[in-house]
Amino acid sequence: MTSPLRTPLHDEHVALGATIVDFAGWEMPVRYTGDIAEHTAVRTAAGLFDLSHMGEIAVRGTDAEAFLDDALVGRMSAVALGGAKYTMMCAADGGVIDDLIVYRRDWDHYVIVANAANKDVVLDELFDRAEGFDTDVEDDSAEIALIAVQGPRAQGIVMEMTARGADDIEAMRYYTAAHVLLEGDVHAFVARTGYTGEDGFELFVGADEAAAVWRLALAIGEPHGLIPCGLSSRDSLRLEAGMPLYGNELTRETTPFDAGLGRVVAFGTEKNPRGDFVGRAALEAARDAWKASEEDGASHARRLVGLVGEGRRAARAGYAVLSPGGAEVGVVTSGAPSPTLGRPIAMAYVPRSLSEPGTRLGIDVRGRTEPMTVVALPFYTRTA
């Protein structure tokens, strides 16, 4: 049996009294002080997350942009230097292999961040798809630590952490990145990205410098209300923000269109055409089927919706969604109590005929039907 992996920050988590769990083959902190406290800190001040279990894959070479345009559903050649893009890798049949964020660090150098559980699959697919392109694909995960500062006070905290580059942090737009020098002479690639629904930054640093950066963030951030946060609060934060989780909302059996994320697939236009890419034909068919179901009102086509409960019992992934008449019509993909809303929330796939906001449905919560109402996603949107 393979032992769980540990991030470069494992000892820091243990010293802080974190509860450690096995997650995607990694020993990761699920919580420190408590789920609600950590969730609330990110919504009101700032939270510090260890994301070093994620995969970092470098793509370099003269054909790097052409290769990624072929391998992924997004148009990576359109990403500016210092830019980032949310995208997906799909199979030939249109199923989602993983959802990714791709950063352009140089004209011939991209970094792909893959989900921890899917890193090896994504890496193998990239190796296979790189045939015929002048490009190198390399797994840099072991050399890179990824630390996130998320919340309304994140910008000020990260600016204070920098020895050089604070102006770049302040000027940074969402989904852009810059090279900065942190206190302690640590070189970092800092991106204004995150998975919480709040403003925030993700810092790519050398694995051997991770502990120093973590301690720096705590020392500077704690007076501003920053606390370390675990996987549990990260999940409730992303759920409130309506962000999909691979293995829940996204799987090999779903296309981006099923999840309401068809916008991430770039087919090109008459004025700005795009060539072939892996999964294009299947995704075109999925797009056309989606459009047809909207036009003819097909009741069988499924939709990913938000659900808000009336009681206190939360729906969980895998629970059955019930029609007003009690028939099973769908399945919950993610569910939890919402600290921000004070009510249970969930995402679920249901038939199109039951997907309109205001529709009342039920969830089978351990043999008892809990009433829930369909709402538009996301559940929570930050105001500034």
Side-chain angles (χ1 to χ4, degrees):
M1 186 175 180
T2 304
S3 299
L5 300 169
R6 293 177 173 179
T7 78
L9 293 168
H10 178 80
D11 290 346
E12 303 298 314
H13 305 319
V14 172
L16 290 168
T19 300
I20 306 295
V21 299
D22 187 339
F23 178 78
W26 291 81
E27 290 187 1
M28 295 295 295
V30 67
R31 68 182 56 84
Y32 296 84
T33 54
D35 299 347
I36 294 177
E38 292 167 29
H39 182 110
T40 303
V42 176
R43 288 280 181 254
T44 60
L48 183 66
F49 296 85
D50 178 13
L51 308 181
S52 304
H53 61 305
M54 303 288 279
E56 289 86 23
I57 301 168
V59 176
R60 301 179 178 88
T62 56
D63 286 347
E65 66 175 28
F67 161 57
L68 291 178
D69 276 353
D70 181 76
L72 307 178
V73 303
R75 203 170 201 165
M76 297 303 107
S77 57
V79 177
L81 184 63
K85 192 172 188 66
Y86 175 74
T87 188
M88 297 180 189
M89 171 182 280
C90 287
D93 64 2
V96 179
I97 294 173
D98 200 14
D99 62 332
L100 315 160
I101 297 182
V102 180
Y103 301 87
R104 192 164 196 169
R105 296 193 61 163
D106 209 335
W107 296 115
D108 60 352
H109 179 192
Y110 293 81
V111 173
I112 299 171
V113 176
N115 285 296
N118 293 337
K119 189 259 292 184
D120 290 340
V121 175
V122 170
L123 190 62
D124 288 344
E125 284 288 335
L126 288 171
F127 283 140
D128 290 343
R129 298 179 189 193
E131 186 175 353
F133 291 96
D134 183 9
T135 188
D136 292 319
V137 176
E138 188 172 355
D139 182 7
D140 286 346
S141 305
E143 288 76 45
I144 296 175
L146 183 55
I147 296 170
V149 180
Q150 300 282 300
R153 298 179 188 169
Q155 176 179 298
I157 293 168
V158 176
M159 287 176 66
E160 283 190 51
M161 291 172 64
T162 61
R164 217 175 277 173
D167 290 345
D168 292 331
I169 298 296
E170 186 174 26
M172 196 178 291
R173 301 185 310 279
Y174 190 47
Y175 265 67
T176 62
H179 295 272
V180 303
L181 185 68
L182 302 178
E183 294 290 347
D185 291 328
V186 176
H187 291 267
F189 184 67
V190 180
R192 198 164 204 154
T193 49
Y195 193 53
T196 62
E198 294 295 338
D199 188 20
F201 298 82
E202 295 179 320
L203 291 72
F204 297 78
V205 299
D208 58 344
E209 298 171 311
V213 173
W214 180 267
R215 293 171 189 168
L216 175 66
L218 286 175
I220 290 175
E222 283 179 340
H224 299 285
L226 175 144
I227 63 173
C229 298
L231 293 173
S232 184
S233 62
R234 188 167 183 252
D235 190 53
S236 58
L237 289 159
R238 71 91 194 166
L239 176 57
E240 287 186 347
M243 295 178 169
L245 175 66
Y246 194 89
N248 292 44
E249 288 72 42
L250 300 172
T251 69
R252 286 295 294 267
E253 286 68 49
T254 60
T255 73
F257 294 93
D258 292 326
L261 293 170
R263 63 184 180 276
V264 308
V265 184
F267 292 110
T269 64
E270 185 176 345
K271 291 184 178 180
N272 189 20
R274 182 185 179 190
D276 196 17
F277 56 89
V278 177
R280 175 167 188 143
L283 290 170
E284 285 178 333
R287 175 200 60 192
D288 294 345
W290 175 274
K291 289 181 179 178
S293 70
E294 290 292 304
E295 292 169 359
D296 65 17
S299 61
H300 63 278
R302 66 177 187 166
R303 298 288 185 270
L304 183 67
V305 300
L307 297 169
V308 173
E310 299 174 8
R312 302 187 64 84
R313 285 156 55 95
R316 300 293 181 180
Y319 285 12
V321 181
L322 307 176
S323 72
E328 185 171 335
V329 293
V331 63
V332 172
T333 55
S334 296
S338 166
T340 304
L341 275 63
R343 291 188 288 173
I345 60 173
M347 289 195 283
Y349 280 107
V350 301
R352 180 191 178 282
S353 59
L354 298 173
S355 66
E356 288 299 315
T359 302
R360 293 177 62 81
L361 299 171
I363 303 293
D364 183 350
V365 180
R366 296 186 295 277
R368 193 171 85 185
T369 299
E370 294 292 331
M372 300 193 88
T373 301
V374 176
V375 299
L377 292 170
F379 302 99
Y380 166 86
T381 304
R382 67 186 179 96
T383 57

